Amino acid sequence: MALKTPVSIVAIESLSALGMGREKVWATYLSHRHGIEERSFPGEKAWVAPISEDYKDSIEEVRRSQSHYRKLDETVLFALAVSRMAAHSARWKKNGNFGINIGSSRGATGIFESHHRQFIKEGSTSPWTSPATTLGNISSWVAHDMQTSGPEISHSITCSTALHALLNGVAWILGGMADRFLVGGSEAPLTPFTVAQMKALKIYAKAGGPFPCRALDLKKDENTMVLGEGAAMACLQAGDSPDSLALIDGIGYATEILESSVSISTEADCFQRSMQMAMGDLHSSQVDAVVMHAPGTIKGDESEFRAVHKVFGPDVPLLTSNKWMTGHTLGASGMLSVEMAVLMLQHQVFIPLPYTGEKPKAKNLNRILVNAVGFGGNAVSILLKRPR
């Protein structure tokens, strides 16, 4: 649905294989270099997209900043680090009255696996186990860190988690219950059990080569999904702010009956409905690009591609994805895609896929659509507009 009153993104920050901070992230996009590498896990190797060692110190600095933080999972620490950056960029101060909605697909998987190993070995576990692994663990710690007085919400809607957080923030703002909202997702899934789960689904990348993840490459003959880690947060504010990096012009969402536990329908009916809803009465030719969900799987990429062609017909816009660079960061992935769209709008440069042979190029970009979908067929589409 088109928003009668726009909502501004006044800051957006992230931590991923792309780097940390908008300047570094944009430089990585322009470089066309991915952050995927092969790592050893118990009994096997796997392609993953970790955050660079250059940023480990920033995470450890957060961990050491309060004694309570020493026992927190990296999912929470990533969220704390990036939320601090986003609030600073937006010039939001501590003790402010703004809402927080941060989610995760897997949550505190590292801590959970560690405590579970202890339980299997010793038959007991730490009193910190439950509070450190609950679903509300991320937003509540960010709210504590920022000493906010606004609402704090947590949820998990698998890979569309971060964009559902954005939907919630928009709803609260347009409902008059808040003027500002910090929204996003965080994920630290590079653990043995999580990697094993993804491999069990038969969707994980096996081959290496120059691009282990070939998101949106419709010529690939095997699945190439790769797990990545990171967090991304956006600061939302009511109205068309002078500080706006991008305007949220429309929002769409849809679900569909599952054909299997991991896939959506052949023509991604949920994406068709979410994209049409986000565009409203806007003519398809007025959307300049789509940042696709495109996880690098054969069926997932093809079904979303078909959905785009169904919706746009002869006016198919430029199509891209960042998962060949970042891996699939699950609950954080949607907001990383929003950041990519915001940066392209800001710099007026389109970042194509490397398999096409194209290089980043100047382009007139006024509106970009961002897609995300999770297990369960929960699709979200966000239409972003370049501010005046």
Side-chain angles (χ1 to χ4, degrees):
M1 71 182 68
L3 301 190
K4 293 180 180 179
T5 302
V7 174
S8 292
I9 298 177
V10 295
I12 189 163
E13 299 288 354
S14 69
L15 167 67
S16 72
L18 296 168
M20 189 176 190
R22 286 203 308 275
E23 288 186 10
K24 174 60 180 175
V25 169
W26 183 241
T28 304
Y29 275 127
L30 293 177
S31 76
H32 249 202
R33 291 194 305 268
H34 66 74
I36 297 173
E37 62 184 53
E38 192 173 37
R39 281 193 175 180
S40 295
F41 292 87
E44 61 182 347
K45 291 185 176 181
W47 296 98
V48 294
I51 64 170
S52 167
E53 291 295 324
D54 296 341
Y55 303 105
K56 293 289 186 180
D57 287 344
S58 297
I59 301 306
E60 286 307 307
E61 185 178 333
V62 173
R63 191 191 298 274
R64 293 191 298 268
S65 64
Q66 289 194 31
S67 59
H68 295 311
Y69 295 174
R70 294 172 187 169
K71 297 178 181 178
L72 297 179
D73 186 76
E74 284 191 334
T75 310
V76 183
L77 298 175
F78 291 171
L80 288 170
V82 178
S83 295
R84 289 177 180 182
M85 289 176 59
H88 177 77
S89 295
R91 297 191 293 276
W92 291 3
K93 300 185 182 302
K94 281 191 174 184
N95 303 302
N97 184 16
F98 58 88
I100 296 172
N101 190 169
I102 303 170
S104 178
S105 175
R106 299 288 162 175
T109 183
I111 291 287
F112 189 92
E113 289 178 34
S114 174
H115 287 310
H116 187 258
R117 283 194 298 270
Q118 179 189 355
F119 176 74
I120 295 298
K121 182 179 179 180
E122 302 175 9
S124 62
T125 189
S126 162
W128 262 86
T129 304
S130 178
T133 58
T134 53
L135 180 61
N137 194 42
I138 302 177
S139 288
S140 58
W141 279 116
V142 172
H144 161 81
D145 192 63
M146 300 201 165
Q147 300 170 30
T148 58
S149 56
E152 61 96 356
I153 306 166
S154 299
H155 67 248
S156 176
I157 311 177
T158 61
C159 307
S160 56
T161 292
L163 291 196
H164 274 283
L166 188 149
L167 291 180
N168 284 344
V170 168
W172 277 74
I173 289 171
L174 295 184
M177 296 186 292
D179 293 324
R180 301 177 298 166
F181 239 90
L182 174 69
V183 298
S186 184
E187 208 74 58
L190 306 187
T191 63
F193 186 54
T194 310
V195 170
Q197 289 177 68
M198 296 299 109
K199 286 198 169 189
L201 295 171
K202 309 299 183 185
I203 57 176
Y204 213 85
K206 296 178 182 177
F211 305 107
C213 176
R214 300 183 72 89
L216 206 55
D217 178 2
L218 302 181
K219 296 179 181 179
K220 60 180 176 287
D221 55 9
E222 62 180 35
N223 290 318
T224 65
M225 197 200 88
V226 167
L227 277 179
E229 63 181 354
M233 308 295 163
C235 293
L236 308 184
Q237 200 161 297
D240 186 349
S241 168
D243 299 322
S244 178
L245 302 176
L247 298 173
I248 299 172
D249 202 31
I251 57 173
Y253 47 87
T255 57
E256 65 178 51
I257 298 173
L258 295 179
E259 291 188 352
S260 79
S261 62
V262 298
S263 67
I264 53 180
S265 57
T266 305
E267 294 185 340
D269 296 334
C270 58
F271 266 140
Q272 290 186 48
R273 296 198 301 272
S274 67
M275 287 188 286
Q276 288 166 343
M277 181 179 179
M279 290 164 60
D281 296 329
L282 196 70
H283 192 273
S284 55
S285 63
Q286 293 178 273
V287 176
D288 302 300
V290 181
V291 180
M292 310 274 277
H293 179 72
T297 62
I298 293 174
K299 290 184 178 179
D301 291 4
E302 287 180 349
S303 61
E304 186 180 2
F305 183 79
R306 290 192 192 100
V308 168
H309 277 260
K310 280 276 189 179
V311 170
F312 287 91
D315 300 311
V316 173
L318 297 165
L319 306 179
T320 192
S321 171
N322 58 11
K323 290 184 179 63
W324 68 272
M325 301 182 82
T326 66
H328 195 345
T329 55
L330 304 179
S333 63
M335 196 58 71
L336 284 169
S337 294
V338 168
E339 181 186 48
M340 182 186 196
V342 168
L343 289 170
M344 289 194 297
L345 288 171
Q346 188 176 12
H347 294 277
Q348 288 294 287
V349 172
F350 176 73
I351 305 295
L353 298 164
Y355 344 115
T356 62
E358 295 180 74
K359 294 182 179 180
K361 57 187 177 183
K363 185 71 179 176
N364 186 31
L365 300 168
N366 290 309
R367 285 187 177 89
I368 298 179
L369 194 64
V370 180
N371 284 340
V373 69
F375 293 166
N378 292 289
V380 179
S381 298
I382 305 296
L383 184 62
L384 299 178
K385 181 180 178 182
R386 185 184 183 192
R388 292 189 296 272

